[in-house]
Amino acid sequence: MKYQSFLIKYAEIGTKGKNRYMFEDTLMKQIRRALEAVDGEFEVTKESGRIYVTGNGSYDDDDVIEALKRVFGIADICPMVQIEDRDYENLKKAVVEYMDQVYPDKNLTFKVAARRADKHYPIGSEQMNRDLGEVILEAFPQMKVDVHHPDVLLRVEVRQKVNLFSEMIPGPGGMPVGTNGKAMLLLSGGIDSPVAGYMIAKRGVVLDAVYFHAPPYTSERAKQKVVDLANLVARYAGPINLYVVNFTDIQLHIYESCPHEELTIIMRRYMMRIAQKLAEDAGAMGLITGESIGQVASQTLQSLAATNDVCTMPVFRPVIGFDKQEIIDLSEKIGTYETSIQPYEDCCTIFVAKHPVTRPNINVIRSSEKRLGEKMEELVREALNTTERILCQGR
Ligand code: ATP
Ligand code: MG
């Protein structure tokens, strides 16, 4: 525990004016939530357009930083040492101590950038830059000053306390979850959909999720994998309500009534319809999928159009233009990859035809669906009535 507090820098504030407060307050709320999982006590405060996290008692700096790196809306995390005694001689000592502790390897160039935010402080910032630079050079002769491209830019801010900081750890960027409404993620056990959920949550959107389960064709273990993925995404996105829909009877009915090469498309259309109904009930304003153009037969432009045909809500497909490898890279970065590649079947693999249509004609699909009759409406109602809800809190 080297640091007493962390200065949180945020970059993008979507809409200005009154919404700035909403942005900041939501960011503070999300920071508090993320820190609940960290051992220690933390205070999150706002002061003249800045957010601080201050620790009480003992905690591990790295744990705090890891948690903050998952809070959307944070551009940078600056770990700080705060000095209460502003006496100039004491400040000099503290600066030397800071450089010693934070940089065990003294072979570096530095620059001091002092700011006197409290104008009552008797020493000016230029004077501080010179004096503090000098005491550092005296204490550590290996260090050198470089005013243009220093390895270390030591910031000294004189306020009611003095803040010392030099490290800047990148946050995830984006906007705080809760500033941009809610959307429903179609979450399968694959690689793509958790990444898609992450990307939309990063824009400040609260997530709910839906998983279509087909027991006994898909196992409990396959469902558990999706719950695990929802929990991994929730580490960034905050609590996710995961709706688990029993899709077996619907799939069997499609299998018995429709041409087999159209099964996947018709099944996907029913997934979208049900997801949309759940979204409406949950107050979500859009659907999210992990589709990417051309990746499989059901993701050609014609297939996407046929699937989209049943949606009245906007469907967000954030990985639509990504190559598989780009999606994999992102899933590794956010920590979902290892879980996604566990070998449990997902419901699509059971009923897939040998030669699915790759260029479905919407009119043909619509007329095939007519064969499903009223029985389908009943099955959809039944599926909605028996939907299970699992709260995934990310821990
Ligand atoms: P993923 O890696 O996300 O599973 P995929 O490459 O396997 O995607 P498809 O199986 O064609 O692609 O599914 C496309 C999208 O449809 C998925 O990204 C997901 O959003 C949704 N989806 C597919 N199967 C299910 C399911 N069983 N439950 C919920 N959503 C699903
Ligand atoms: Mg899949």
Side-chain angles (χ1 to χ4, degrees), residues 186-188 190-193 210-212 268 271 289-291 295-296 298-299 324 347-348:
L186 282 87
L187 183 62
S188 65
I191 296 169
D192 310 327
S193 44
V210 52
Y211 167 58
F212 296 92
R268 296 199 46 72
M271 283 187 185
T289 75
E291 289 160 312
Q295 202 188 76
V296 286
S298 60
Q299 295 175 25
K324 192 72 189 186
C347 75
C348 315

Side-chain angles (χ1 to χ4, degrees), residues 347-362:
C347 75
C348 315
T349 56
I350 309 291
F351 296 97
V352 280
K354 275 213 187 73
H355 301 289
V357 280
T358 52
R359 289 192 216 170
N361 176 307
I362 292 182

Side-chain angles (χ1 to χ4, degrees), residues 29-321:
K29 189 178 125 196
Q30 294 299 350
I31 290 171
R32 290 192 186 102
R33 181 188 55 73
L35 290 172
E36 277 169 18
V38 179
D39 273 339
E41 298 228 338
F42 304 94
E43 220 182 316
V44 182
T45 49
K46 183 163 76 169
E47 189 199 305
S48 46
R50 286 175 152 199
I51 290 172
Y52 294 102
V53 172
T54 308
N56 296 318
S58 69
Y59 52 87
D60 185 330
D61 289 329
D62 292 338
D63 291 348
V64 176
I65 292 166
E66 272 319 300
L68 293 173
K69 276 163 100 174
R70 291 196 296 266
V71 179
F72 294 133
I74 295 182
D76 294 292
I77 305 153
C78 306
M80 300 197 313
V81 165
Q82 282 194 315
I83 305 151
E84 303 214 6
D85 178 358
R86 303 197 306 180
D87 170 75
Y88 200 39
E89 291 312 307
N90 186 59
L91 174 58
K92 288 179 184 168
K93 251 189 262 152
V95 163
V96 169
E97 210 172 290
Y98 177 96
M99 292 300 278
D100 197 23
Q101 284 210 4
V102 179
Y103 301 102
D105 178 3
K106 305 288 183 281
N107 239 321
L108 52 78
T109 61
F110 74 96
K111 173 184 173 177
V112 178
R115 223 183 109 221
R116 189 170 55 150
D118 175 6
K119 300 294 177 213
H120 300 297
Y121 195 70
I123 324 284
S125 53
E126 279 310 312
Q127 181 77 43
M128 276 192 269
N129 287 344
R130 277 194 302 275
D131 293 348
L132 298 175
E134 212 166 278
V135 292
I136 293 171
L137 287 173
E138 268 167 30
F140 311 112
Q142 310 96 299
M143 291 190 183
K144 290 192 179 60
V145 172
D146 181 342
V147 290
H148 300 294
H149 304 287
D151 300 325
V152 174
L153 179 62
L154 174 63
R155 297 194 182 270
V156 179
E157 284 187 348
V158 183
R159 294 170 180 257
Q160 287 317 100
K161 295 176 186 173
V162 183
N163 295 333
L164 302 182
F165 58 97
S166 57
E167 300 283 284
M168 214 156 54
I169 299 148
M175 304 185 75
V177 171
T179 53
N180 280 319
K182 188 199 276 187
M184 180 69 70
L185 169 66
L186 282 87
L187 183 62
S188 65
I191 296 169
D192 310 327
S193 44
V195 171
Y198 169 92
M199 287 177 74
I200 297 297
K202 186 174 175 202
R203 299 305 303 159
V205 177
V206 174
L207 301 182
D208 272 353
V210 52
Y211 167 58
F212 296 92
H213 184 41
Y217 303 98
T218 58
S219 62
E220 270 306 298
R221 196 59 199 80
K223 172 178 155 187
Q224 185 57 44
K225 177 182 169 185
V226 175
V227 172
D228 293 345
L229 285 170
N231 272 302
L232 289 172
V233 176
R235 288 168 12 123
Y236 300 88
I240 295 174
N241 282 309
L242 172 66
Y243 296 91
V244 179
V245 177
N246 187 328
F247 207 48
T248 312
D249 291 344
I250 292 174
Q251 276 193 303
L252 287 172
H253 186 47
I254 299 172
Y255 192 76
E256 283 153 14
S257 317
C258 300
H260 285 186
E261 65 273 17
E262 294 171 8
L263 288 181
T264 307
I265 293 294
I266 295 177
M267 190 186 77
R268 296 199 46 72
R269 283 162 62 98
Y270 276 94
M271 283 187 185
M272 297 309 255
R273 287 182 173 108
I274 292 171
Q276 190 161 271
K277 183 71 180 71
L278 290 168
E280 279 163 11
D281 292 348
M285 288 178 286
L287 302 178
I288 306 164
T289 75
E291 289 160 312
S292 154
I293 293 175
Q295 202 188 76
V296 286
S298 60
Q299 295 175 25
T300 62
L301 276 192
Q302 290 87 346
S303 297
L304 289 166
T307 307
N308 205 65
D309 179 49
V310 300
C311 301
T312 52
M313 251 181 208
V315 182
F316 306 124
R317 301 177 173 90
V319 300
I320 196 72

